[in-house]
Amino acid sequence: MPSRTSSSHSNLSPPTQRTPLLQHSISNQSARSGHAYHRPSCQQEECEHGLLSPHASRPTSSDSNKPPQSSSNAGNARENNYTPTHLSYEPQHTESGNGGVFGGRHAGETDLRHGILGDALADGVFGSRAGGQLDGANDGKGGRGDGSGEGDEGPMSTTQWLARRHGVKGRRVMYLAYYFPFLQWITQYKWSYLQGDLIAALTMASFYIPMSLSYASNLGHIPPINGLYSFVFNPFIYALLGSCPQMVVGPEAAGSLLVGTVVRGSVDSGHSGDEDDARNAAIAGVVTGMAGAIIFVAGLTRLGFLDSVLSRPFLRGFISAIGFVILVDQLIPEMGLNRRAKHDPGGVSHGSSAAKIVFLVTNVKYAHGLTCGVAFGSFAIIMVCRQLKKYMQPRFPSVAYVPDRFVVVVLSAVLTWKFGWDKQGLEILGTIQSSTGSPFPFRWPLQPSKMIHIQEAMSTSFLIALLGFFESSVAAKSLGTGGSEGLQGMSLSANRELVALGAANVLGGCFMALPAFGGYGRSKVNASTGGKTPMSSIFLSLITVICVLFLLPYFYYLPKAVLSAMISVVAYSLIEEAPHDIKFFVHIRGWSELALMFLIFAATIFYSLTLGIAFGVGLSLLSVIRHSTKPRIQILGKVPGTQDQFENAEDNPQALEFIEGCLIVKIPEPLTFANTGDLKNRLRRLELYGTNAAHPALPRVRAPEHNKNIIFDVHGVTSIDGSGTQVLTEIVDGYIDNGERVFFCRVPKESSHVYRMFEKSGIVGRCGGPRHFVKSVDEALRMTELESVSEFYRDHPGEGGG
């Protein structure tokens, strides 16, 4: 055993526990003066075992009653010891080793129930039989209670193992609170949150309830009340299931426009009529319900990573195109040309944006003066207020509370009623009611009788789900979990977001509402006006219910031109970020991204949204597939003057040394079926040309003798599947059959999955046994020399020299 005063600290046994990162702020001097966190086995006065040292250790259970060393540490301890109110935590002394620091993974095998049902369901339903003994150190049933898992009734998950090891109680409830966040945040709710949540809900209602009427009537081509349903049900369901406390879900311009395309398509095919409100509302319910079902199933199957599938250029090009389409569409009602467009022989109402621009130019002389004045005047007032808010808000934050759009709505309705503008040709909203007469009609959307609409809406519903989830994901990541002043213990999860949004839209579809997802702008209004918890969404739902039941008659005189102007403001906001992105891609010479943006924009404007959707999604998916299936193998060269430093030879071949007779190949990524399909061809290019950049038409320029020894650096191969193992086995067999030697360096340890796959497939045996699996590239090079010398004297026994 090394001496306690020895300066060779590398020979010391590993500590039982390490210092928490939050406590690293204490000075090294205090640690050297006998601080409790100092490693007890070192008794030097001038050692360097400060709190940043890996040898610093945590206090044992005997130190737990000592007073804290500083107030800052006490504060950090309070912050770090937070647990949700439904759970309790009793620190336990763990066994020797560093498991208490790392946490660790349960070494036992997962049983069939955990494999099929997952940890949460198996642990929650089957309890101790599926998850080991749940209730303490020793319950009298033979369990040891030391966290080892020995003596338990059955296999347990890593989560249950860690929970029992560290004394966490209420382990079934913790799963329930995770998947139903309402149980987590409602127990933390305070009266101090109530005022901010209520004010935020009232502010959002004043902004977005008129907007929802606009989305339904002008974009979705359904009764205006169906837009309100999106604020009745969706925010309430998301408040129960969503993982982002400050996010508010509701209808968006892009989703509403896509619903409108399905409704228009049904009208064009003769399955419904322009004035058939009940049928059009049912079609909207089908689209919303299908989008919700798609996204709900994606959440259950853990497809939350799909928010990264669509590229930024596609989204910017498509969203900018949608903004342009909306602007052009709204010019027709803003100029009072609705009736003329409906009777246009070319069917311009259902045509492309380019056709509508031509129609507007040729019919501008028929524009209605009063309608133009109300629409463009409302647009100008809202835009001026928007810019003033943006300018004044940094100095006067309370300006965000000013409901400028609500004032415009009320003022225009009062003026229309006072001066009788509706009798002068200005179109008004009129009586707002459900298509069935009931305030909240229930219709299950996925019925066999609606199968024809389901077929029409399938692709559009999928895109609505994808775009809606992406926008919600961006909003959730930007807002976080509410910060230190809000709810504690909440955690964002893409899969739970999918489930919450899917459930909300399935219910919304039952009431024929527009698709509703999280919007960044709406959620920022919620946060900036005092909303800290999902209760603001619940208040918003209640306010909308009151509006549906009691306030709809007051919207009778609301001009449709004002609703169009409000939508035009939203459309402008969709376009205004495009110049910044274009400037950025021009600056970095991102011509392929610019080309993609332009192609999607042009396809949407000059043909249809459907073509723009198919074009953009198709190119994005092809880009993802191409990126994921491309092997990133490299040929390595030695850095001159170093012992064991190798770099990618293709970056700067003149500055590296190449070892004759050796091809050093680095595989920096896991090997799966997706990226091993072209592995053989790329390795062949390295053998023939020394680079993957050369075209296969080039004759061989690298001599075969330089490939006598193949060295694979597989440090990056952290996992490998069956297909990847099969391809690698064929590659190794090919080299061995050609008389070449194969070495592997930096392979994971023998107990790892990768090494076991190498053994089972025969790669280890074919290469020459474990001696061909070494720790470094330099060691592999020495092995090649040793193998060459051994082969030489084996083939020339007379050259041994006695």
Side-chain angles (χ1 to χ4, degrees), residues 257-313:
L257 183 64
L258 291 172
V259 169
T261 61
V262 178
V263 173
R264 287 296 190 189
S266 179
V267 172
D268 290 342
S269 59
H271 298 140
S272 66
D274 277 330
E275 308 302 327
D276 191 350
D277 289 344
R279 179 61 63 88
N280 293 341
I283 294 171
V286 170
V287 176
T288 302
M290 286 181 59
I294 290 169
I295 209 168
F296 184 78
V297 172
L300 293 180
T301 53
R302 300 188 178 187
L303 299 180
F305 62 89
L306 286 176
D307 68 332
S308 303
V309 169
L310 300 181
S311 66
R312 179 67 178 268

Short mmCIF file of all heavy atoms in Angstrom, two decimals, residues 257-313:
data_model
loop_
_atom_site.label_atom_id
_atom_site.label_comp_id
_atom_site.label_asym_id
_atom_site.label_seq_id
_atom_site.Cartn_x
_atom_site.Cartn_y
_atom_site.Cartn_z
N LEU A 257 -54.36 27.84 -43.16
CA LEU A 257 -54.33 27.91 -44.61
C LEU A 257 -54.32 26.52 -45.24
O LEU A 257 -55.00 26.28 -46.25
CB LEU A 257 -53.10 28.70 -45.07
CG LEU A 257 -52.96 28.92 -46.59
CD1 LEU A 257 -54.11 29.78 -47.10
CD2 LEU A 257 -51.62 29.56 -46.93
N LEU A 258 -53.59 25.59 -44.63
CA LEU A 258 -53.57 24.22 -45.16
C LEU A 258 -54.93 23.55 -45.02
O LEU A 258 -55.35 22.78 -45.90
CB LEU A 258 -52.49 23.42 -44.44
CG LEU A 258 -51.05 23.83 -44.76
CD1 LEU A 258 -50.07 23.12 -43.85
CD2 LEU A 258 -50.71 23.55 -46.21
N VAL A 259 -55.63 23.83 -43.93
CA VAL A 259 -57.01 23.33 -43.80
C VAL A 259 -57.87 23.91 -44.91
O VAL A 259 -58.70 23.21 -45.53
CB VAL A 259 -57.59 23.69 -42.41
CG1 VAL A 259 -59.09 23.41 -42.37
CG2 VAL A 259 -56.89 22.90 -41.32
N GLY A 260 -57.69 25.19 -45.19
CA GLY A 260 -58.45 25.83 -46.26
C GLY A 260 -58.20 25.20 -47.62
O GLY A 260 -59.12 25.12 -48.44
N THR A 261 -56.96 24.73 -47.86
CA THR A 261 -56.68 24.08 -49.15
C THR A 261 -57.46 22.77 -49.27
O THR A 261 -57.93 22.42 -50.36
CB THR A 261 -55.18 23.81 -49.31
OG1 THR A 261 -54.73 22.93 -48.27
CG2 THR A 261 -54.38 25.09 -49.24
N VAL A 262 -57.60 22.03 -48.15
CA VAL A 262 -58.37 20.79 -48.20
C VAL A 262 -59.85 21.10 -48.43
O VAL A 262 -60.53 20.42 -49.22
CB VAL A 262 -58.17 19.98 -46.90
CG1 VAL A 262 -59.02 18.71 -46.93
CG2 VAL A 262 -56.71 19.62 -46.70
N VAL A 263 -60.36 22.12 -47.75
CA VAL A 263 -61.76 22.50 -47.94
C VAL A 263 -61.99 22.94 -49.38
O VAL A 263 -62.99 22.54 -50.02
CB VAL A 263 -62.15 23.62 -46.95
CG1 VAL A 263 -63.55 24.16 -47.26
CG2 VAL A 263 -62.09 23.11 -45.51
N ARG A 264 -61.10 23.76 -49.91
CA ARG A 264 -61.24 24.21 -51.30
C ARG A 264 -61.16 23.04 -52.26
O ARG A 264 -61.87 22.97 -53.28
CB ARG A 264 -60.15 25.23 -51.63
CG ARG A 264 -60.35 26.60 -50.99
CD ARG A 264 -61.60 27.25 -51.53
NE ARG A 264 -61.71 28.65 -51.13
CZ ARG A 264 -62.78 29.38 -51.32
NH1 ARG A 264 -63.85 28.85 -51.89
NH2 ARG A 264 -62.80 30.65 -50.94
N GLY A 265 -60.26 22.10 -51.97
CA GLY A 265 -60.15 20.92 -52.82
C GLY A 265 -61.42 20.09 -52.83
O GLY A 265 -61.83 19.56 -53.87
N SER A 266 -62.06 20.00 -51.66
CA SER A 266 -63.33 19.26 -51.59
C SER A 266 -64.42 19.98 -52.38
O SER A 266 -65.25 19.34 -53.04
CB SER A 266 -63.74 19.11 -50.12
OG SER A 266 -64.96 18.43 -50.01
N VAL A 267 -64.41 21.31 -52.33
CA VAL A 267 -65.39 22.09 -53.10
C VAL A 267 -65.16 21.88 -54.60
O VAL A 267 -66.10 21.66 -55.38
CB VAL A 267 -65.30 23.58 -52.74
CG1 VAL A 267 -66.17 24.41 -53.69
CG2 VAL A 267 -65.72 23.81 -51.30
N ASP A 268 -63.87 21.92 -55.00
CA ASP A 268 -63.56 21.75 -56.42
C ASP A 268 -63.97 20.37 -56.93
O ASP A 268 -64.40 20.22 -58.08
CB ASP A 268 -62.06 21.94 -56.65
CG ASP A 268 -61.64 23.39 -56.46
OD1 ASP A 268 -62.52 24.26 -56.49
OD2 ASP A 268 -60.44 23.64 -56.24
N SER A 269 -63.84 19.34 -56.08
CA SER A 269 -64.18 17.99 -56.51
C SER A 269 -65.67 17.68 -56.38
O SER A 269 -66.11 16.58 -56.71
CB SER A 269 -63.38 16.97 -55.70
OG SER A 269 -63.66 17.10 -54.31
N GLY A 270 -66.46 18.65 -55.89
CA GLY A 270 -67.90 18.48 -55.80
C GLY A 270 -68.39 17.77 -54.57
O GLY A 270 -69.58 17.44 -54.47
N HIS A 271 -67.50 17.54 -53.58
CA HIS A 271 -67.92 16.85 -52.36
C HIS A 271 -68.55 17.79 -51.35
O HIS A 271 -69.10 17.34 -50.34
CB HIS A 271 -66.72 16.14 -51.73
CG HIS A 271 -66.13 15.09 -52.61
ND1 HIS A 271 -64.78 14.88 -52.75
CD2 HIS A 271 -66.74 14.21 -53.47
CE1 HIS A 271 -64.56 13.91 -53.60
NE2 HIS A 271 -65.73 13.48 -54.06
N SER A 272 -68.42 19.09 -51.57
CA SER A 272 -69.08 20.09 -50.70
C SER A 272 -69.21 21.38 -51.50
O SER A 272 -68.69 21.49 -52.62
CB SER A 272 -68.27 20.32 -49.41
OG SER A 272 -67.03 20.91 -49.69
N GLY A 273 -69.89 22.37 -50.91
CA GLY A 273 -70.08 23.65 -51.58
C GLY A 273 -69.52 24.78 -50.75
O GLY A 273 -69.29 24.64 -49.55
N ASP A 274 -69.32 25.94 -51.40
CA ASP A 274 -68.79 27.09 -50.69
C ASP A 274 -69.66 27.50 -49.50
O ASP A 274 -69.17 27.96 -48.48
CB ASP A 274 -68.64 28.28 -51.65
CG ASP A 274 -67.34 28.20 -52.45
OD1 ASP A 274 -66.37 27.66 -51.91
OD2 ASP A 274 -67.33 28.68 -53.60
N GLU A 275 -70.95 27.35 -49.63
CA GLU A 275 -71.87 27.78 -48.58
C GLU A 275 -72.29 26.65 -47.65
O GLU A 275 -73.13 26.85 -46.77
CB GLU A 275 -73.13 28.40 -49.23
CG GLU A 275 -72.83 29.49 -50.25
CD GLU A 275 -72.04 30.64 -49.66
OE1 GLU A 275 -72.22 30.93 -48.46
OE2 GLU A 275 -71.23 31.24 -50.39
N ASP A 276 -71.75 25.47 -47.85
CA ASP A 276 -72.11 24.32 -47.02
C ASP A 276 -71.24 24.34 -45.76
O ASP A 276 -70.24 23.62 -45.65
CB ASP A 276 -71.90 23.03 -47.81
CG ASP A 276 -72.50 21.82 -47.10
OD1 ASP A 276 -72.91 21.96 -45.94
OD2 ASP A 276 -72.54 20.74 -47.72
N ASP A 277 -71.62 25.18 -44.79
CA ASP A 277 -70.80 25.36 -43.60
C ASP A 277 -70.65 24.08 -42.79
O ASP A 277 -69.56 23.80 -42.25
CB ASP A 277 -71.41 26.46 -42.71
CG ASP A 277 -71.26 27.85 -43.31
OD1 ASP A 277 -70.44 27.99 -44.23
OD2 ASP A 277 -71.97 28.77 -42.87
N ALA A 278 -71.71 23.32 -42.67
CA ALA A 278 -71.66 22.09 -41.86
C ALA A 278 -70.66 21.09 -42.45
O ALA A 278 -69.85 20.50 -41.73
CB ALA A 278 -73.04 21.46 -41.76
N ARG A 279 -70.71 20.91 -43.79
CA ARG A 279 -69.79 19.96 -44.43
C ARG A 279 -68.35 20.46 -44.36
O ARG A 279 -67.43 19.69 -44.08
CB ARG A 279 -70.22 19.73 -45.88
CG ARG A 279 -69.32 18.79 -46.66
CD ARG A 279 -69.29 17.40 -46.05
NE ARG A 279 -70.60 16.78 -46.09
CZ ARG A 279 -71.03 16.06 -47.13
NH1 ARG A 279 -70.27 15.88 -48.18
NH2 ARG A 279 -72.23 15.51 -47.09
N ASN A 280 -68.15 21.76 -44.59
CA ASN A 280 -66.79 22.30 -44.53
C ASN A 280 -66.21 22.22 -43.12
O ASN A 280 -65.02 21.95 -42.94
CB ASN A 280 -66.79 23.75 -45.02
CG ASN A 280 -67.11 23.85 -46.50
OD1 ASN A 280 -67.00 22.87 -47.24
ND2 ASN A 280 -67.52 25.03 -46.95
N ALA A 281 -67.05 22.46 -42.12
CA ALA A 281 -66.58 22.34 -40.73
C ALA A 281 -66.22 20.89 -40.42
O ALA A 281 -65.23 20.62 -39.73
CB ALA A 281 -67.66 22.83 -39.77
N ALA A 282 -66.99 19.95 -40.96
CA ALA A 282 -66.68 18.53 -40.74
C ALA A 282 -65.35 18.16 -41.39
O ALA A 282 -64.57 17.37 -40.83
CB ALA A 282 -67.80 17.66 -41.30
N ILE A 283 -65.07 18.72 -42.58
CA ILE A 283 -63.80 18.46 -43.24
C ILE A 283 -62.64 19.00 -42.39
O ILE A 283 -61.61 18.34 -42.22
CB ILE A 283 -63.78 19.10 -44.64
CG1 ILE A 283 -64.81 18.41 -45.54
CG2 ILE A 283 -62.40 19.02 -45.26
CD1 ILE A 283 -65.02 19.10 -46.87
N ALA A 284 -62.82 20.21 -41.84
CA ALA A 284 -61.79 20.77 -40.96
C ALA A 284 -61.57 19.87 -39.74
O ALA A 284 -60.43 19.67 -39.30
CB ALA A 284 -62.19 22.17 -40.51
N GLY A 285 -62.67 19.31 -39.19
CA GLY A 285 -62.52 18.40 -38.06
C GLY A 285 -61.75 17.14 -38.42
O GLY A 285 -60.95 16.64 -37.63
N VAL A 286 -61.97 16.64 -39.64
CA VAL A 286 -61.23 15.46 -40.10
C VAL A 286 -59.74 15.77 -40.19
O VAL A 286 -58.89 14.99 -39.74
CB VAL A 286 -61.78 14.98 -41.46
CG1 VAL A 286 -60.87 13.92 -42.07
CG2 VAL A 286 -63.19 14.41 -41.29
N VAL A 287 -59.40 16.91 -40.79
CA VAL A 287 -57.99 17.29 -40.94
C VAL A 287 -57.34 17.45 -39.57
O VAL A 287 -56.24 16.94 -39.31
CB VAL A 287 -57.87 18.60 -41.75
CG1 VAL A 287 -56.42 19.05 -41.82
CG2 VAL A 287 -58.43 18.40 -43.16
N THR A 288 -58.01 18.17 -38.66
CA THR A 288 -57.45 18.38 -37.32
C THR A 288 -57.32 17.07 -36.56
O THR A 288 -56.29 16.81 -35.92
CB THR A 288 -58.34 19.36 -36.53
OG1 THR A 288 -58.45 20.59 -37.25
CG2 THR A 288 -57.78 19.62 -35.16
N GLY A 289 -58.35 16.23 -36.63
CA GLY A 289 -58.30 14.95 -35.93
C GLY A 289 -57.20 14.04 -36.45
O GLY A 289 -56.50 13.38 -35.68
N MET A 290 -57.01 14.03 -37.78
CA MET A 290 -55.96 13.19 -38.35
C MET A 290 -54.58 13.72 -37.97
O MET A 290 -53.66 12.95 -37.65
CB MET A 290 -56.11 13.14 -39.87
CG MET A 290 -57.24 12.28 -40.34
SD MET A 290 -57.34 12.24 -42.14
CE MET A 290 -55.74 11.59 -42.55
N ALA A 291 -54.41 15.05 -38.03
CA ALA A 291 -53.13 15.63 -37.61
C ALA A 291 -52.84 15.28 -36.16
O ALA A 291 -51.71 14.93 -35.80
CB ALA A 291 -53.14 17.14 -37.82
N GLY A 292 -53.88 15.38 -35.31
CA GLY A 292 -53.69 15.02 -33.91
C GLY A 292 -53.36 13.55 -33.72
O GLY A 292 -52.50 13.20 -32.91
N ALA A 293 -54.04 12.67 -34.47
CA ALA A 293 -53.77 11.24 -34.35
C ALA A 293 -52.35 10.91 -34.79
O ALA A 293 -51.65 10.10 -34.15
CB ALA A 293 -54.79 10.46 -35.19
N ILE A 294 -51.91 11.53 -35.88
CA ILE A 294 -50.54 11.29 -36.37
C ILE A 294 -49.52 11.68 -35.32
O ILE A 294 -48.58 10.94 -35.00
CB ILE A 294 -50.31 12.06 -37.68
CG1 ILE A 294 -51.13 11.44 -38.82
CG2 ILE A 294 -48.82 12.07 -38.06
CD1 ILE A 294 -51.16 12.28 -40.09
N ILE A 295 -49.69 12.86 -34.76
CA ILE A 295 -48.71 13.36 -33.81
C ILE A 295 -48.79 12.62 -32.47
O ILE A 295 -47.79 12.43 -31.78
CB ILE A 295 -48.89 14.89 -33.64
CG1 ILE A 295 -47.57 15.54 -33.30
CG2 ILE A 295 -49.95 15.25 -32.67
CD1 ILE A 295 -47.61 17.04 -33.40
N PHE A 296 -49.99 12.15 -32.12
CA PHE A 296 -50.15 11.39 -30.88
C PHE A 296 -49.44 10.04 -30.98
O PHE A 296 -48.72 9.62 -30.07
CB PHE A 296 -51.64 11.20 -30.59
CG PHE A 296 -51.93 10.50 -29.29
CD1 PHE A 296 -51.86 11.18 -28.09
CD2 PHE A 296 -52.27 9.15 -29.28
CE1 PHE A 296 -52.13 10.54 -26.89
CE2 PHE A 296 -52.54 8.50 -28.08
CZ PHE A 296 -52.47 9.20 -26.89
N VAL A 297 -49.65 9.35 -32.09
CA VAL A 297 -48.98 8.06 -32.30
C VAL A 297 -47.46 8.26 -32.37
O VAL A 297 -46.69 7.44 -31.85
CB VAL A 297 -49.51 7.39 -33.59
CG1 VAL A 297 -48.69 6.15 -33.93
CG2 VAL A 297 -50.98 7.02 -33.43
N ALA A 298 -47.02 9.35 -32.99
CA ALA A 298 -45.58 9.64 -33.03
C ALA A 298 -45.01 9.81 -31.63
O ALA A 298 -43.89 9.39 -31.35
CB ALA A 298 -45.32 10.89 -33.87
N GLY A 299 -45.79 10.42 -30.73
CA GLY A 299 -45.32 10.57 -29.36
C GLY A 299 -45.25 9.24 -28.63
O GLY A 299 -44.29 8.96 -27.91
N LEU A 300 -46.25 8.38 -28.81
CA LEU A 300 -46.24 7.07 -28.15
C LEU A 300 -45.09 6.21 -28.64
O LEU A 300 -44.55 5.39 -27.88
CB LEU A 300 -47.57 6.36 -28.39
CG LEU A 300 -48.82 6.97 -27.74
CD1 LEU A 300 -50.05 6.14 -28.08
CD2 LEU A 300 -48.65 7.10 -26.24
N THR A 301 -44.73 6.36 -29.92
CA THR A 301 -43.63 5.57 -30.48
C THR A 301 -42.29 6.30 -30.40
O THR A 301 -41.32 5.89 -31.03
CB THR A 301 -43.93 5.21 -31.94
OG1 THR A 301 -44.26 6.40 -32.68
CG2 THR A 301 -45.10 4.24 -32.01
N ARG A 302 -42.24 7.39 -29.65
CA ARG A 302 -41.00 8.13 -29.35
C ARG A 302 -40.30 8.63 -30.60
O ARG A 302 -39.12 8.38 -30.83
CB ARG A 302 -40.05 7.25 -28.53
CG ARG A 302 -40.65 6.81 -27.20
CD ARG A 302 -39.66 6.11 -26.32
NE ARG A 302 -40.26 5.76 -25.05
CZ ARG A 302 -39.60 5.24 -24.02
NH1 ARG A 302 -38.30 5.03 -24.14
NH2 ARG A 302 -40.22 4.95 -22.90
N LEU A 303 -41.04 9.35 -31.41
CA LEU A 303 -40.47 9.94 -32.63
C LEU A 303 -40.23 11.44 -32.45
O LEU A 303 -40.33 12.21 -33.39
CB LEU A 303 -41.41 9.70 -33.82
CG LEU A 303 -41.68 8.24 -34.18
CD1 LEU A 303 -42.63 8.15 -35.37
CD2 LEU A 303 -40.38 7.49 -34.49
N GLY A 304 -39.91 11.84 -31.23
CA GLY A 304 -39.69 13.26 -30.96
C GLY A 304 -38.53 13.86 -31.71
O GLY A 304 -38.44 15.08 -31.86
N PHE A 305 -37.62 13.01 -32.21
CA PHE A 305 -36.48 13.52 -32.96
C PHE A 305 -36.89 14.09 -34.32
O PHE A 305 -36.07 14.73 -35.00
CB PHE A 305 -35.45 12.42 -33.18
CG PHE A 305 -35.96 11.25 -33.98
CD1 PHE A 305 -35.87 11.24 -35.36
CD2 PHE A 305 -36.55 10.16 -33.35
CE1 PHE A 305 -36.35 10.19 -36.10
CE2 PHE A 305 -37.03 9.08 -34.08
CZ PHE A 305 -36.94 9.10 -35.46
N LEU A 306 -38.14 13.89 -34.73
CA LEU A 306 -38.56 14.35 -36.06
C LEU A 306 -38.55 15.86 -36.20
O LEU A 306 -38.62 16.38 -37.31
CB LEU A 306 -39.96 13.82 -36.37
CG LEU A 306 -40.06 12.33 -36.71
CD1 LEU A 306 -41.50 11.93 -36.91
CD2 LEU A 306 -39.23 11.99 -37.94
N ASP A 307 -38.46 16.59 -35.07
CA ASP A 307 -38.41 18.04 -35.20
C ASP A 307 -37.12 18.51 -35.84
O ASP A 307 -36.99 19.68 -36.19
CB ASP A 307 -38.60 18.71 -33.83
CG ASP A 307 -37.43 18.45 -32.91
OD1 ASP A 307 -36.78 17.39 -33.07
OD2 ASP A 307 -37.16 19.28 -32.03
N SER A 308 -36.16 17.58 -36.01
CA SER A 308 -34.89 17.94 -36.66
C SER A 308 -34.83 17.48 -38.11
O SER A 308 -33.80 17.64 -38.75
CB SER A 308 -33.72 17.30 -35.87
OG SER A 308 -33.73 17.71 -34.53
N VAL A 309 -35.93 16.91 -38.61
CA VAL A 309 -35.90 16.38 -39.98
C VAL A 309 -35.94 17.50 -41.01
O VAL A 309 -35.22 17.46 -42.02
CB VAL A 309 -37.09 15.41 -40.18
CG1 VAL A 309 -37.24 15.06 -41.65
CG2 VAL A 309 -36.88 14.16 -39.36
N LEU A 310 -36.76 18.52 -40.79
CA LEU A 310 -36.91 19.59 -41.77
C LEU A 310 -35.76 20.58 -41.64
O LEU A 310 -35.46 21.06 -40.55
CB LEU A 310 -38.24 20.30 -41.57
CG LEU A 310 -39.48 19.43 -41.72
CD1 LEU A 310 -40.73 20.25 -41.53
CD2 LEU A 310 -39.50 18.74 -43.07
N SER A 311 -35.14 20.89 -42.77
CA SER A 311 -33.99 21.79 -42.74
C SER A 311 -34.45 23.24 -42.59
O SER A 311 -35.58 23.59 -42.93
CB SER A 311 -33.19 21.64 -44.04
OG SER A 311 -33.95 22.08 -45.15
N ARG A 312 -33.55 24.08 -42.10
CA ARG A 312 -33.88 25.50 -41.92
C ARG A 312 -34.19 26.19 -43.25
O ARG A 312 -35.16 26.96 -43.33
CB ARG A 312 -32.69 26.19 -41.22
CG ARG A 312 -32.87 27.68 -40.98
CD ARG A 312 -33.96 27.96 -39.97
NE ARG A 312 -34.09 29.37 -39.70
CZ ARG A 312 -33.46 30.00 -38.71
NH1 ARG A 312 -32.65 29.32 -37.91
NH2 ARG A 312 -33.64 31.28 -38.50
N PRO A 313 -33.43 25.93 -44.32
CA PRO A 313 -33.80 26.57 -45.60
C PRO A 313 -35.19 26.16 -46.08
O PRO A 313 -35.92 27.00 -46.63
CB PRO A 313 -32.71 26.06 -46.57
CG PRO A 313 -31.55 25.76 -45.70
CD PRO A 313 -32.13 25.25 -44.42
#
